[in-house]
Amino acid sequence: MIQFFVKGVIRDRSRSLFSFIVVTLGVFLAVIFRGFMAGVFDDMMRQSAIMQTGHVKVATRAYAEEADLMPNDLAILEVDSLITALEQHYPALFWTPRITFAGLLDVPDAQGETRKQGAMMGVAIDFFSESTRQIELWDLNNKLTSGNLPRTPEEVLLGNEFARRLEVEIGDVVTFIGGTMYGGFASYNFTVAGTVSLGVGAFDRNILMVDLEGARQALDMENAASFVMGFYQDMFYDDPGSVILSARFNDAHSAEENDVFGPVMHALRDQQNLGAMVDLSGQVLWLIIGIFMFAVTVVLWNLGLMNGLRRYGEIGVRLAMGETKTHVFGTMLIESLIIGMAGTVVGTAMGLLLVLYLQEVGLDYSALMENYAIPVSTVMRGKITPDLYVIGVVPGIFATLIGTMLAGRGIYKRELSQLFKELET
Amino acid sequence: MAHHHIVEIRGLVKRFPMGGNHFTALKGIDLDIEIGEFTGLVGPSGSGKTTLLNIIGGLDAPSEGTLTVLDMALAEKNHKELAALRRHGIGFIFQTFNLLPVYSAYENVELPLLLLGLPADKRKAAVMHALERVGLTDKAQSRPAQLSGGESQRVAIARAIVKEPRLVLADEPTANLDAANSHNVMGILARLNRELSTSFIFATHDEKVMGYLTRVLHLVDGTIQREELVEHPQFLEKV
């Protein structure tokens, strides 16, 4: 019997094809939208974590208060012992110092006179220690656009756009001009080892990346760091875990509450209003499912009504042959289930393929962001998450069934004799 | 003698709501149909033929009166029981054939047997036998769109008789056919009536159909005004 109706679904394209297309499209859009949003959120979180916040960040209380100003006079001292303690107490994370600093970058000509000059933002990371994962996290091998990674503390990377603007070549010497940790004048020569394109417009236009040791020499920050960042070993941000961990750390250091140079830990969500974004990413999933489910249900409801009208003859004949209304209604639901399942599988597969493309390749829209200083990724990414495999079931199968049920209800409630009058007209 | 009656109707009234009032389509019908009868309900449009046929087929309920079809008192039955009665005992033939367009002739004829849950081998034998009776074995795999009007109605007849029902209700079965096809279809139905003892009730105002009937009930304004028993129907002798 089922086989008989499956044949009907396959042969009657006006019954099945449009419904199939609607379901496929609905599921496809739900999957790519969710995959895209997951990618965007994940990218934003990851970018923020790597570039600015870590999954958790330890700084002095005073530095944390004024973090936007990059006040290295409030930096953490005795960093090595702090990191040893953190590794001992919180082994689920790996810990790395970071120095951020600002100043001017001067490019001299052959006579030593200023040829070009620009405001810069310095980021000092651990390039050289054996256990460092910074090169992997920043994906520097792939983002290197010319030259090579620094091989000595005096070598630096410049943002692609920054190097172009300053007309700097690989091997050129550039001079950092700024202030030391102690408030003195700093002037330090670096050699440009390479250029990078980080995919974040604001960084690419003014970043200078250097090893911690080079920055410490330039800024007179022996065994100091602006802050220490902690990352989960698997690089997946655990929001509740980070909040608990921060609270534990801060409780353990509550005795130093009045010491402005005492350490304080903040989870990613507590920095730069990222908590709202973390919460939003969860809510957006259900919003997307809700919107697509509603839209697909309404379209399929209408399709079901149109099909029902078109199939009055068939329904009337089947009832005359002795099929019960319940059975007719049931077979209509089975038909829609078949269409819903087929559309869900195809729509999910199509959506996953596109999300996979966005995840692996991405869409570069940096040209559109040239004039913006917002530190966001200029490569649009998707992310394959486990829920993408099942998210389509809701709009694809449930909405199809609900649409058919709503449409079938009208026929189900109709008097048989009325159905036959309509059948004959 | 009640067991000889395939249909027994007493004091049947059917009213349809119309605005705030009612329109009475059938006004106190008393009727018995015996096993193997070839009966016609004849009358102008609006006389109540189709309404009576629908009520006999359990597709509509009477407003008053009693009705027994195939030994089942229909007034006391629910939708499921009425569906079972149609599934097992009644075949329908429609004016507009109403074949399912996406299925072949074979599959259209097979559907009533699928509803009865017969196994595939029995279905195949019964379907081919029914198609043979209407002379369409060579069109078994054709879709309705590939069949002529006459062929379509013959497939509809095969579908109605494939389960060998005790009663066939035919509503204007020749209305969409030319004269030659009308006679062809009526000839087939008459032969089935003779060979299977299936009772047939027609609703018609077609003179050609009337020429085959052994009993003609003239309906006017919802009442049986006249009954005619035809000993030698005009065309039946030639079948």
Side-chain angles (χ1 to χ4, degrees), chain A residues 196-237:
Chain A
V196 287
S197 174
L198 298 173
V200 178
F203 278 23
D204 287 338
R205 283 192 291 275
N206 63 7
I207 197 169
L208 174 148
M209 294 186 79
V210 62
D211 178 61
L212 282 167
E213 200 46 48
R216 280 171 174 162
Q217 286 169 19
L219 302 169
D220 199 6
M221 289 179 71
E222 182 60 32
N223 198 16
S226 306
F227 43 83
V228 173
M229 299 166 105
F231 297 93
Y232 284 96
Q233 302 285 357
D234 58 9
M235 279 310 286
F236 279 105
Y237 175 57

Side-chain angles (χ1 to χ4, degrees), chain A residues 158-217:
Chain A
L158 292 185
N160 206 27
E161 280 298 302
F162 194 29
R164 191 179 58 79
R165 190 153 48 86
L166 295 180
E167 296 170 8
V168 172
E169 300 291 332
I170 305 301
D172 283 358
V173 172
V174 291
T175 306
F176 160 71
I177 301 167
T180 67
M181 183 172 76
Y182 299 105
F185 177 75
S187 171
Y188 199 85
N189 286 342
F190 291 110
T191 304
V192 178
T195 59
V196 287
S197 174
L198 298 173
V200 178
F203 278 23
D204 287 338
R205 283 192 291 275
N206 63 7
I207 197 169
L208 174 148
M209 294 186 79
V210 62
D211 178 61
L212 282 167
E213 200 46 48
R216 280 171 174 162
Q217 286 169 19

Side-chain angles (χ1 to χ4, degrees), chain A residues 144-409:
Chain A
L144 194 68
T145 51
S146 65
N148 49 263
L149 296 182
R151 282 175 291 219
T152 66
E154 285 73 33
E155 289 190 334
V156 296
L157 296 175
L158 292 185
N160 206 27
E161 280 298 302
F162 194 29
R164 191 179 58 79
R165 190 153 48 86
L166 295 180
E167 296 170 8
V168 172
E169 300 291 332
I170 305 301
D172 283 358
V173 172
V174 291
T175 306
F176 160 71
I177 301 167
T180 67
M181 183 172 76
Y182 299 105
F185 177 75
S187 171
Y188 199 85
N189 286 342
F190 291 110
T191 304
V192 178
T195 59
V196 287
S197 174
L198 298 173
V200 178
F203 278 23
D204 287 338
R205 283 192 291 275
N206 63 7
I207 197 169
L208 174 148
M209 294 186 79
V210 62
D211 178 61
L212 282 167
E213 200 46 48
R216 280 171 174 162
Q217 286 169 19
L219 302 169
D220 199 6
M221 289 179 71
E222 182 60 32
N223 198 16
S226 306
F227 43 83
V228 173
M229 299 166 105
F231 297 93
Y232 284 96
Q233 302 285 357
D234 58 9
M235 279 310 286
F236 279 105
Y237 175 57
D238 174 4
D239 186 46
S242 302
V243 172
I244 292 168
L245 194 141
S246 304
R248 266 177 57 201
F249 179 90
N250 294 332
D251 279 351
H253 293 82
S254 58
E256 303 160 55
E257 234 169 46
N258 295 324
D259 178 5
V260 292
F261 289 100
V264 63
M265 185 184 285
H266 285 117
L268 179 146
R269 73 150 45 238
D270 299 327
Q271 302 173 58
Q272 299 179 2
N273 207 24
L274 289 170
M277 199 177 288
V278 172
D279 297 336
L280 188 65
S281 68
Q283 291 156 4
V284 161
L285 166 66
W286 292 108
L287 184 69
I288 294 163
I289 292 174
I291 290 169
F292 280 100
M293 183 157 171
F294 180 73
V296 171
T297 303
V298 169
V299 173
L300 291 171
W301 178 8
N302 278 287
L303 268 178
L305 283 173
M306 284 191 290
N307 270 331
L309 289 170
R310 202 175 55 80
R311 292 173 70 190
Y312 262 168
E314 177 193 333
I315 291 163
V317 167
R318 285 167 57 183
L319 291 170
M321 283 181 200
E323 217 177 322
T324 59
K325 285 177 175 179
T326 313
H327 193 264
V328 171
F329 192 58
T331 57
M332 287 171 76
L333 288 180
I334 290 171
E335 285 176 14
S336 61
L337 188 67
I338 293 165
I339 293 168
M341 282 167 65
T344 301
V345 170
V346 175
T348 301
M350 285 165 57
L352 283 172
L353 277 176
L354 190 59
V355 174
L356 184 66
Y357 174 82
L358 287 174
Q359 179 178 287
E360 298 301 319
V361 182
L363 286 178
D364 189 346
Y365 64 102
S366 54
L368 299 174
M369 298 295 285
E370 265 176 9
N371 299 319
Y372 295 92
I374 312 162
V376 293
S377 171
T378 50
V379 179
M380 201 182 281
R381 296 254 178 219
K383 187 185 179 193
I384 303 272
T385 54
D387 58 3
L388 285 190
Y389 293 93
V390 292
I391 192 176
V393 170
V394 179
I397 294 178
F398 291 158
T400 313
L401 285 176
I402 291 170
T404 308
M405 282 165 80
L406 288 169
R409 206 171 51 112

